[in-house]
């Protein structure tokens, strides 16, 4: 991949820019800083509006299936937007998609002002669904910039640096989304209108950064022969990774987005107040985000799995599958054991312990999986088609969330009148989705390096660690020698 060009007056960063001076890498960080600011501010509102709609709808008596339908168009439009945004970003640059996404979020949030309690359920579902659709379009227009800029500013040979950069940005984004979850629930306790006011204000703050801080050339493809059809012509690795991503995020949304908050609020569930539900979901998202940020340094590097390949992806998928299995069995067993018992406090405590432990563990392992996926997509992406590659990948992500959300609403609402049984079934289907994600990742052609678990365990073609370590030290010594030789040659001769 080529290095971006930087000039004193303006930063021109494109996927096809020629090599520039030594100052370019430093100046090229400016678009990354600008996009990061706007992306993170937007993310707070994305989490807040989710909780705002869900908890307000629950208070008004909507069922889990009805709330799932409200979010369906959000995810579906997100899938379509990822395709279109990939083409738009390649043709007209990331600045266009970023500004369009921020403006669309303002429109979607403002539309919620009109939600009237006097409407029939059908009218409310239709109206809120379309308002959420605008927010879904906005989210993926903004996300495209956040994901592609990391590839554009990182040299091809620095894969470890790319992994840390992608993990850090994605992790902090998810942590701030967790802040948004809590903010939405807390503000809703004060006033529905105030919650919307605050979120619109955050987007207004973000807009000037995107408008004045980026050039029109950021992320453009040199060739103008970019079409929607070309987005579907992906390399096999991107196709398999996208399918794995679909099932991975479907596995989480099968129980997290609708069934879990409904279960926490339900009188025959845990019967938590609205603010407590918002805090619990926010805690999950923040933990997930921080785990994703530090996954390379705290987990994968000590295990000698960084930068990761397909084997690392499959391994952590299989480890993840055990968690929803334990959650489903645990909730089912506790409900059956205490069925008909008058000691409801004891039953309640056991459920809280199982859910707390299981959800925290799921957040940690899921974060590692997500970090690996997020790195692999930018690694497999073509330098001059990164916007289209990432757009296609996140289209699959949106479809996974769509399938998970709709299926979760149906399972929780119609499988049983017992909320314990309904939630358990959502967990069991989640196990199936995680296993399908692992199966899809297995077909990725990325076997180099094999699989390790620390220095002592290696398999699937991985060389012994002592050999890899010795080779790495020789390479580093060779680089230092070349640098020293270069410095010697630069010393001018005395006359």
């Amino acid at each position: 991949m080529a290095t971006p060009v930087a000039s004193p007056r303006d930063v021109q960063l494109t996927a096809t820019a020629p090599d520039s001076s030594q100052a370019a890498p430093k100046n090229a960080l400016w678009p990354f800083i600008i996009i990061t600011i706007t992306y993170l501010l937007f993310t707070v509102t994305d989490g807040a509006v989710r909780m705002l709609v869900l908890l307000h709808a629950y208070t008004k008596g909507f069922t889990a299936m009805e709330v799932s339908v409200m979010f369906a168009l959000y995810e579906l439009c997100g899938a379509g937007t990822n395709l279109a945004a990939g083409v738009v970003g390649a043709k007209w640059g990331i600045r266009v998609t970023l500004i369009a996404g921020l403006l669309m979020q303002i429109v979607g949030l403002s539309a919620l002002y009109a939600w009237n309690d006097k409407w029939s359920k059908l009218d409310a579902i239709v109206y809120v669904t379309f308002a959420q659709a605008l927010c879904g379009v906005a989210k993926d227009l903004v996300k495209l910039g956040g994901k592609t800029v990391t590839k554009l500013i990182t040299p091809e040979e620095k894969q470890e640096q790319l992994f840390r950069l992608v993990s850090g940005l994605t992790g902090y984004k998810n942590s701030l989304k967790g802040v948004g979850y809590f903010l939405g629930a807390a503000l809703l306790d004060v006033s529905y209108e105030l919650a919307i006011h605050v979120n619109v204000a955050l987007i207004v703050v973000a807009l000037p950064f995107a408008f004045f801080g980026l050039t029109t050339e950021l992320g453009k493809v040199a060739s103008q022969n970019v079409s929607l059809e070309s987005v579907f012509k992906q390399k096999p690795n991107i196709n398999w990774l996208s399918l794995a991503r679909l099932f991975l995020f479907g596995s989480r949304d099968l129980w997290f987005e609708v069934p879990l908050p409904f279960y926490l609020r339900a009188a025959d569930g845990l019967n938590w107040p609205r603010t407590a539900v918002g805090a619990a979901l926010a805690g999950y998202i923040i933990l997930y985000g921080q785990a994703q940020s530090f996954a390379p340094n705290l987990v994968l590097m000590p295990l000698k799995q960084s930068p990761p390949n397909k084997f690392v992806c499959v391994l952590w998928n299989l480890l993840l599958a055990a968690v929803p299995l334990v959650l489903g069995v645990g909730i089912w067993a506790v409900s059956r054991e205490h069925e008909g018992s008058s000691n409801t406090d004891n039953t309640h405590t056991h459920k809280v312990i199982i859910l707390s432990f299981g959800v925290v563990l799921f957040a940690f392992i899921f974060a590692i999986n997500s970090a690996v996926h997020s790195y692999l997509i930018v690694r497999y992406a073509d330098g001059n088609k990164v916007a289209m590659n990432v757009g296609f990948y996140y289209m699959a992500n949106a479809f996974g969330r769509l399938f998970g959300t709709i299926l979760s609403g149906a399972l929780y609402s119609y499988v049983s009148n017992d909320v314990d049984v309904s939630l358990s079934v959502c967990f069991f289907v989640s196990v199936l989705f995680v296993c399908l994600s692992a199966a899809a990742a297995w077909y990725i052609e990325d076997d180099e390096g094999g699989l390790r678990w620390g220095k002592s365990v290696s398999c699937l073609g991985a060389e012994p660690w002592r050999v890899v370590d010795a080779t790495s030290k020789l390479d580093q010594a060779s680089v230092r020698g070349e640098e020293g030789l270069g410095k010697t040659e630069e010393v001018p001769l005395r006359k």
Side-chain angles (χ1 to χ4, degrees):
M1 187 190 75
T3 309
V5 177
S7 64
R9 295 184 59 190
D10 198 11
V11 178
Q12 300 278 334
L13 181 61
T14 69
T16 56
D19 288 343
S20 185
S21 65
Q22 292 180 352
K26 181 179 179 179
N27 292 333
L29 285 175
W30 179 246
F32 175 74
I33 294 168
I34 291 296
I35 290 177
T36 298
I37 292 171
T38 55
Y39 187 32
L40 296 182
L41 283 171
F42 175 91
T43 297
V44 175
T45 70
D46 186 45
V49 72
R50 195 81 171 186
M51 292 306 297
L52 179 65
V53 170
L54 189 149
L55 294 177
H56 190 63
Y58 181 90
T59 302
K60 300 304 175 183
F62 289 85
T63 67
M65 188 66 221
E66 289 165 343
V67 174
S68 295
V69 171
M70 289 180 180
F71 292 139
L73 209 54
Y74 171 95
E75 302 296 354
L76 184 61
C77 287
T81 302
N82 274 299
L83 286 178
V87 176
V88 172
K91 275 190 173 183
W92 294 298
I94 293 171
R95 179 176 180 267
V96 171
T97 63
L98 193 63
I99 293 173
L102 294 172
L103 292 174
M104 190 75 74
Q105 184 77 341
I106 292 176
V107 175
L109 287 167
S110 300
L112 292 175
Y113 281 119
W115 188 354
N116 195 324
D117 293 343
K118 296 179 181 179
W119 291 348
S120 68
K121 269 193 172 185
L122 179 60
D123 290 342
I125 290 171
V126 172
Y127 183 83
V128 175
T129 298
F130 278 99
Q132 283 290 280
L134 296 176
C135 294
V137 173
K139 180 195 71 173
D140 287 292
L141 284 171
V142 174
K143 181 189 284 185
L144 180 73
K147 297 299 182 181
T148 55
V149 73
T150 55
K151 176 77 171 182
L152 296 174
I153 68 169
T154 309
E156 190 67 35
E157 67 276 7
K158 294 188 177 181
Q159 293 299 309
E160 191 75 52
Q161 177 182 327
L162 179 61
F163 183 31
R164 290 196 299 269
L165 194 60
V166 171
S167 298
L169 176 59
T170 308
Y172 283 109
K173 181 267 295 185
N174 285 317
S175 293
L176 281 177
K177 186 172 184 177
V179 172
Y181 267 64
F182 179 75
L183 184 67
L187 289 173
L188 188 58
D189 264 354
V190 179
S191 165
Y192 175 76
E193 289 74 18
L194 176 63
I196 302 176
H197 292 339
V198 172
N199 283 282
V200 170
L202 287 173
I203 299 299
V204 171
V205 170
L207 260 172
F209 289 98
F211 191 83
F212 296 108
L214 300 175
T215 72
T216 57
E217 298 302 310
L218 179 64
K220 277 189 179 180
V221 172
S223 171
Q224 295 302 309
N225 297 321
V226 179
S227 65
L228 192 60
E229 181 183 358
S230 64
V231 178
F232 289 97
K233 295 179 180 179
Q234 301 289 342
K235 296 185 294 186
N237 277 2
I238 291 179
N239 287 330
W240 286 117
L241 182 62
S242 299
L243 185 60
R245 184 77 171 189
L246 184 153
F247 286 115
L248 178 68
F249 271 76
S251 73
R252 185 196 66 177
D253 286 9
L254 263 162
W255 57 269
F256 179 76
E257 288 292 347
V258 176
L260 183 62
F262 265 66
Y263 184 82
L264 296 178
R265 285 284 285 145
D268 49 348
L270 296 187
N271 198 25
W272 285 5
R274 189 159 50 193
T275 306
V277 173
L281 298 182
Y284 169 91
I285 296 291
I286 292 171
L287 173 63
Y288 160 59
Q290 290 303 299
Q292 193 169 13
S293 296
F294 296 105
N297 291 331
L298 296 183
V299 180
L300 298 180
M301 288 181 68
L303 292 176
K304 311 305 176 187
Q305 296 175 0
S306 179
N309 58 13
K310 82 165 191 184
F311 295 129
V312 175
C313 185
V314 172
L315 171 65
W316 286 98
N317 263 194
L318 295 177
L319 292 174
L320 180 66
V323 183
L325 179 61
V326 171
L327 279 166
V329 171
I331 294 297
W332 186 298
V334 168
S335 65
R336 298 287 76 81
E337 180 183 353
H338 296 280
E339 191 172 9
S341 173
S342 59
N343 191 359
T344 56
D345 289 342
N346 197 30
T347 305
H348 185 278
T349 301
H350 288 167
K351 290 177 182 178
V352 170
I353 292 172
I354 291 170
L355 282 174
S356 300
F357 175 77
V359 168
V360 167
L361 186 59
F362 187 95
F364 181 74
I365 302 179
F366 186 86
I368 296 172
N369 277 278
S370 185
V372 170
H373 280 209
S374 296
Y375 161 73
L376 290 178
I377 183 57
V378 293
R379 175 184 164 191
Y380 297 152
D382 296 318
N384 64 340
K385 294 181 181 179
V386 61
M388 288 190 293
N389 296 151
V390 172
F392 179 82
Y393 167 80
Y394 278 105
M395 176 203 69
N397 185 100
F399 270 119
R401 297 193 61 175
L402 172 65
F403 296 153
T405 300
I406 292 296
L407 187 54
S408 73
L411 291 172
Y412 190 82
S413 298
Y414 304 126
V415 164
S416 173
N417 292 326
D418 186 334
V419 294
D420 293 317
V421 174
S422 296
L423 184 63
S424 296
V425 171
C426 291
F427 283 129
F428 293 144
V429 179
S430 175
V431 175
L432 174 63
F433 268 52
V434 176
C435 292
L436 290 173
S437 177
W442 183 260
Y443 287 96
I444 295 173
E445 296 181 3
D446 182 17
D447 301 350
E448 185 178 356
L451 179 64
R452 304 182 190 282
W453 190 274
K455 296 181 179 180
S456 56
V457 179
S458 59
C459 59
L460 298 171
E463 291 183 332
W465 180 250
R466 63 180 182 278
V467 176
V468 175
D469 191 40
T471 303
S472 176
K473 290 177 180 178
L474 285 174
D475 290 341
Q476 292 174 8
S478 176
V479 169
R480 285 195 297 268
E482 291 174 0
E483 290 175 349
L485 181 60
K487 290 177 181 178
T488 302
E489 292 174 345
E490 290 171 3
V491 176
L493 295 175
R494 292 185 178 180
K495 293 182 179 180

